[in-house]
Amino acid sequence: MIYISPSILASDFANLEQEALGMKAACADMLHIDVMDGCFVPNISIGPCVISSLRKKSDLFFDVHLMIQNPLKYIGDFANAGADMITFHVESDSDVAETIKAIKSLGKKAGIALKPKTDANVIEKYINDVDMVLVMTVEPGFGGQKFMADMMPKVKTVRDMCNACGREDMLIQVDGGIDNSTAPVVAENGANVLVAGSALFSKNDYKEAVAQLRSAAESAAV
Ligand code: DX5
Ligand code: ZN
């Protein structure tokens, strides 16, 4: 099963409600919401109040990607704002186990994210506690960057590691440079949640764009 999570970073922020409704109508499985603090990454995006407003307009599953220095401090805010899954970076300042615990205690799904230079084995001890592992396929911070094909061995390692721990059900997300040509490559290596910003929101027909991305991945899924 392949899940498509359009990243609203590439959407029209002045029309977020319409963009979210458009992706729902296009059969997207979730909405990827990038939160950047200008500290963990050199860019600033949106925070809990925008998510909270959007929550009132959309019933899509909110896949919130925190690129912030101190995620633990804000888990409550993002949970209250309406996040369904909260993914944070292992490279952040927060204690990883504590942060997962905080997310879970609020009844949300938890994800851990790895920047390109971070080794897959740092997440091994958390595998049984999380719902998703995000392997970044660009340096976090900006949309529209070039896909890093050299992250594929890491995706494969994470998939093998999860399977070895009996977590065949683990969601493995890839984020950055995903389009119809890179989707088969990530799926072949075991990713099953594809984030795409520019590749989807640049298209006029969201439904066709989501369907094409899904079928490109499904054709190669393991
Ligand atoms: C980058 C963000 C991504 C970004 C992806 O730091 O985490 O979610 O929106 O954008 P594209 O799909 O355009 O590479
Ligand atoms: Zn993201």
Side-chain angles (χ1 to χ4, degrees):
M1 177 90 183
I2 295 288
Y3 299 93
I4 304 294
S5 190
S7 167
I8 59 163
L9 192 62
S11 74
D12 177 2
F13 276 12
N15 288 302
L16 266 186
E17 177 182 357
Q18 287 312 316
E19 295 283 51
L21 293 175
M23 282 303 172
K24 165 91 177 180
C27 303
D29 303 290
M30 37 184 113
L31 203 60
H32 186 81
I33 303 177
D34 288 305
V35 176
M36 306 179 183
D37 65 354
C39 182
F40 185 75
V41 289
N43 194 7
I44 300 176
S45 58
I46 57 165
C49 43
V50 174
I51 297 174
S52 168
S53 294
L54 195 56
R55 180 78 290 170
K56 298 187 186 90
K57 307 290 184 181
S58 170
D59 63 356
L60 264 174
F61 183 94
F62 281 3
D63 158 31
V64 175
H65 176 194
L66 299 182
M67 287 163 274
I68 66 177
Q69 202 67 46
N70 190 355
L72 182 55
K73 187 173 169 190
Y74 297 99
I75 297 304
D77 292 341
F78 286 101
N80 285 335
D84 293 297
M85 173 151 59
I86 302 177
T87 299
F88 67 98
H89 276 265
V90 290
E91 306 88 355
S92 73
D93 287 345
S94 301
D95 181 85
V96 175
E98 285 295 313
T99 308
I100 295 170
K101 213 163 88 187
I103 298 170
K104 292 288 197 178
S105 74
L106 294 166
K108 307 298 178 183
K109 295 201 182 304
I112 37 176
L114 299 166
K115 287 165 80 171
K117 290 190 187 70
T118 307
D119 212 84
N121 61 27
V122 305
I123 56 127
E124 193 163 12
K125 58 183 171 200
Y126 308 111
I127 279 177
N128 287 312
D129 305 319
V130 297
D131 302 284
M132 189 172 81
V133 178
L134 163 55
V135 178
M136 290 302 300
T137 43
V138 297
E139 281 296 341
F142 299 92
Q145 301 181 77
K146 192 176 178 299
F147 175 74
M148 297 169 76
D150 53 340
M151 291 299 113
M152 293 307 97
K154 183 151 83 180
V155 173
K156 176 92 173 57
T157 300
V158 171
R159 175 54 77 198
D160 290 345
M161 214 185 255
C162 293
N163 289 354
C165 292
R167 290 297 313 275
E168 288 87 355
D169 63 322
M170 184 73 85
L171 296 173
I172 299 184
Q173 185 174 66
V174 281
D175 182 9
I178 305 300
D179 60 18
N180 293 342
S181 67
T182 55
V185 185
V186 295
E188 192 178 280
N189 283 282
N192 55 359
V193 186
L194 276 62
V195 174
S198 38
L200 295 176
F201 283 100
S202 65
K203 304 279 166 55
N204 289 324
D205 186 337
Y206 290 173
K207 192 161 191 169
E208 189 181 82
V210 169
Q212 282 180 358
L213 189 64
R214 194 190 300 283
S215 94
E218 278 173 352
S219 66
V222 285

